[in-house]
Amino acid sequence: MSMKPDLSTETTGKTSRRLTWSTRFGFILAATGSAIGLGNIWKFPYITGVYGGGAFVLVYIGCVIVVGLPLMISELIIGRRGRQNPVGAFQVLSREGSPWQIPGWIGVAAGFVILSFYSVIAGHALAYIFKSLPGFVGTADQIREQYSSLKNSAGSSIAWHTMFMVLTIAIVAGGVRRGIERWARILMPTLFFLLLFLMIYGLAFTEGGAAAINFLFNPGFSALSAEGVLSALGHAFFTLSLGMGAMITYGSYMKKEVNIVRDAVTISFLDTFIALMAGLAIFSMVFAYGLEPGAGPGLLFETLPVLFAETGPWVAVSFFVLLTFAALTSAISLLEVVVSYFIDKRGWSRMNAAIIMGAVIYFLGLLSAIESIKVPFRGSPTGFFDIFDFVSTNYMLPLGGLLTGLFAAYVVKDRIRSEEFGSSGGLYRAFVVVLKFITPLAVLIVLLHGLELLPFMDYGN
Ligand code: PHE
């Protein structure tokens, strides 16, 4: 791994010639790498299981198209026009001192919070590569036990979290082209083929293929709750890396001539496609072995290893390599948001920004890595992992997304029309209507739900 920074292409916020991705394909891989992560392979299958399958999937796809896609277009546009980190981009595109820079700040703050807990789960994925090598042995309970012993051992969790953060920092320190883009070119295609292999294995070589297809694609609306709808919406932000400036940052390295609308469609499509592939792979194995689809967050680390004991280590190792790669390309984008701010705004070198801010995030992550630390939150003692996950998905991303969408619709709109949408006036009008009315409404509902203020929901207090 090259630790040499990309000095040839780095610029500060004031210069107009910003470094760019080397090719359009490189950008697509990096942005798709940001979007595809633990959200797709760990979270999507388990929440789909919890919320009952097909109907949830349909609502989730609706959220991606109606709320996610327009927001992704907005973020890429804001990034490419601002040519800076999220805070700087909002500043450049509005007036000095205007409150519009708030979403930029939310983004940088969310970068710290999300990466800190993300790296802990990613560390568990890394640990499981090595746990899978000798194969899982023992009774189902003994195999499940292994995960709680990893989680509850502060020492091991911290060790794997450390290793994962070091990898992330090293790649980001390498620069946009030689670090992020180069590693996305290696990791993303590998991830795709590993997942393809696991999906084919699940669908064709286990007994659960038909049941998995039925579970994911046959919408039984009676299983869908209001809670499920809100989670689908919140998850659409998380899985597409929206509402915290990741796509603004990646957009800031885009070349002028690239068509943003087309690329945003490609990225959102690939993200959804991979989540569905992961769902098919995982649920066909779950059904083949009669396991519980609604097992919750432990689905990957507790439930799947039970059947990996039957399949042999190679399926297990491929799976956890895949999970680690997916997490790594997302973690890179989370750190890059923070790093780009310190490069553009504070004039730090890329190397220093990556190491120092990576270290700060690492220390924050210790709170999530140590399971035994609990503080009162929403009425019960809660660990920092759950608090950070909840606060970022339910407050920070929706709020950041809401403000970003409004900013695109009201402030940069005139400049967007001709350049990004060309002659397709109808598409442009739909884009603005969604950003002005539908996104704000949807996001407001998620926010109120996060604050337990929705009148039609029962919050049990
Ligand atoms: N989209 C990533 C995932 O699905 C997580 C992420 C969120 C990455 C926000 C960057 C910004 O795992």
Side-chain angles (χ1 to χ4, degrees):
M1 185 177 310
S2 159
M3 290 290 293
K4 270 189 266 136
D6 249 333
L7 290 179
S8 56
T9 43
E10 202 75 72
T11 63
T12 66
K14 307 226 164 33
T15 10
S16 56
R17 278 186 46 234
R18 187 168 181 82
L19 68 163
T20 56
W21 304 105
S22 59
T23 61
R24 174 174 169 239
F25 186 58
F27 159 70
I28 300 247
L29 284 182
T32 315
S34 167
I36 296 171
L38 295 172
N40 302 60
I41 297 162
W42 167 68
K43 217 170 187 182
F44 173 74
Y46 99 65
I47 57 178
T48 300
V50 169
Y51 294 115
F56 174 83
V57 173
L58 210 60
V59 173
Y60 160 75
I61 293 178
C63 293
V64 166
I65 297 172
V66 177
V67 182
L69 189 59
L71 213 55
M72 170 148 340
I73 297 174
S74 309
E75 288 206 13
L76 293 175
I77 289 174
I78 292 171
R80 183 162 73 180
R81 286 177 176 276
R83 310 206 76 65
Q84 284 208 39
N85 69 92
V87 175
F90 280 102
Q91 284 172 340
V92 167
L93 297 175
S94 56
R95 257 173 282 116
E96 262 249 278
S98 107
W100 277 119
Q101 45 184 299
I102 292 171
W105 285 110
I106 296 178
V108 175
F112 280 92
V113 174
I114 299 179
L115 183 53
S116 77
F117 74 83
Y118 203 82
S119 167
V120 174
I121 283 276
H124 293 166
L126 193 57
Y128 263 70
I129 298 178
F130 297 91
K131 275 188 188 290
S132 318
L133 276 175
F136 291 98
V137 283
T139 65
D141 280 343
Q142 285 167 337
I143 294 175
R144 286 206 187 95
E145 243 333 270
Q146 292 199 9
Y147 188 54
S148 29
S149 64
L150 170 66
K151 257 195 350 191
N152 294 331
S153 145
S156 333
S157 270
I158 291 175
W160 294 106
H161 162 61
T162 311
M163 247 173 287
F164 186 80
M165 277 308 292
V166 168
L167 280 175
T168 307
I169 293 170
I171 295 178
V172 171
V176 170
R177 287 189 181 185
R178 273 186 245 161
I180 303 175
E181 186 174 338
R182 188 176 64 161
W183 282 92
R185 278 174 191 275
I186 300 169
L187 298 176
M188 293 310 289
T190 318
L191 176 146
F192 180 78
F193 286 109
L194 281 175
L195 190 55
L196 190 65
F197 155 78
L198 283 168
M199 188 185 74
I200 294 174
Y201 171 82
L203 288 180
F205 296 95
T206 72
E207 307 281 287
I213 293 175
N214 188 46
F215 184 68
L216 285 176
F217 298 116
N218 191 359
F221 281 97
S222 54
L224 189 68
S225 58
E227 181 81 36
V229 175
L230 295 171
S231 300
L233 193 56
H235 184 63
F237 282 99
F238 187 83
T239 189
L240 293 172
S241 306
L242 296 175
M244 55 86 51
M247 290 297 162
I248 296 182
T249 310
Y250 276 17
S252 76
Y253 307 127
M254 278 175 99
K255 293 201 168 102
K256 285 226 159 50
E257 60 280 4
V258 175
N259 182 325
I260 283 184
V261 176
R262 191 181 53 189
D263 282 5
V265 171
T266 309
I267 299 162
S268 312
F269 172 80
L270 287 174
D271 185 75
T272 309
F273 191 69
I274 294 284
L276 293 174
M277 279 175 78
L280 285 173
I282 291 166
F283 285 117
S284 43
M285 297 192 246
V286 164
F287 288 125
Y289 291 87
L291 303 171
E292 174 52 50
L299 188 64
L300 294 198
F301 294 105
E302 291 174 321
T303 308
L304 280 188
V306 174
L307 66 95
F308 288 149
E310 314 269 334
T311 60
W314 47 279
V315 181
V317 172
S318 328
F319 183 79
F320 289 109
V321 169
L322 161 85
L323 191 60
T324 307
F325 282 7
L328 192 55
T329 50
S330 299
I332 292 168
S333 72
L334 287 162
L335 183 57
E336 179 64 17
V337 171
V338 176
V339 163
S340 70
Y341 169 78
F342 281 89
I343 296 174
D344 294 347
K345 285 292 185 191
R346 305 287 169 108
W348 291 18
S349 72
R350 170 168 286 276
M351 183 66 87
N352 284 347
I355 295 176
I356 296 171
M357 287 305 129
V360 172
I361 293 170
Y362 166 77
F363 285 111
L364 187 63
L366 296 181
L367 288 175
S368 298
I370 306 172
E371 272 276 302
S372 52
I373 307 181
K374 301 240 192 284
V375 291
F377 180 72
R378 291 160 57 89
S380 57
T382 314
F384 276 93
F385 183 93
D386 293 323
I387 297 178
F388 287 166
D389 185 10
F390 187 88
V391 169
S392 56
T393 312
N394 292 293
Y395 305 147
M396 298 178 101
L397 300 186
L399 187 61
L402 170 68
L403 297 175
T404 308
L406 291 177
F407 184 73
Y410 286 100
V411 185
V412 281
K413 62 170 202 274
D414 295 333
R415 289 178 271 177
I416 293 175
R417 175 169 192 161
S418 53
E419 287 173 45
E420 314 295 347
F421 285 88
S423 55
S424 58
L427 200 62
Y428 171 72
R429 274 192 294 279
F431 171 76
V432 172
V433 166
V434 166
L435 286 179
K436 281 191 177 168
F437 305 106
I438 300 186
T439 318
L441 186 70
V443 171
L444 208 65
I445 293 176
V446 172
L447 277 175
L448 288 176
H449 176 58
L451 297 167
E452 302 196 338
L453 288 176
L454 280 185
F456 51 85
M457 295 286 290
D458 177 14
Y459 295 108
N461 37 358

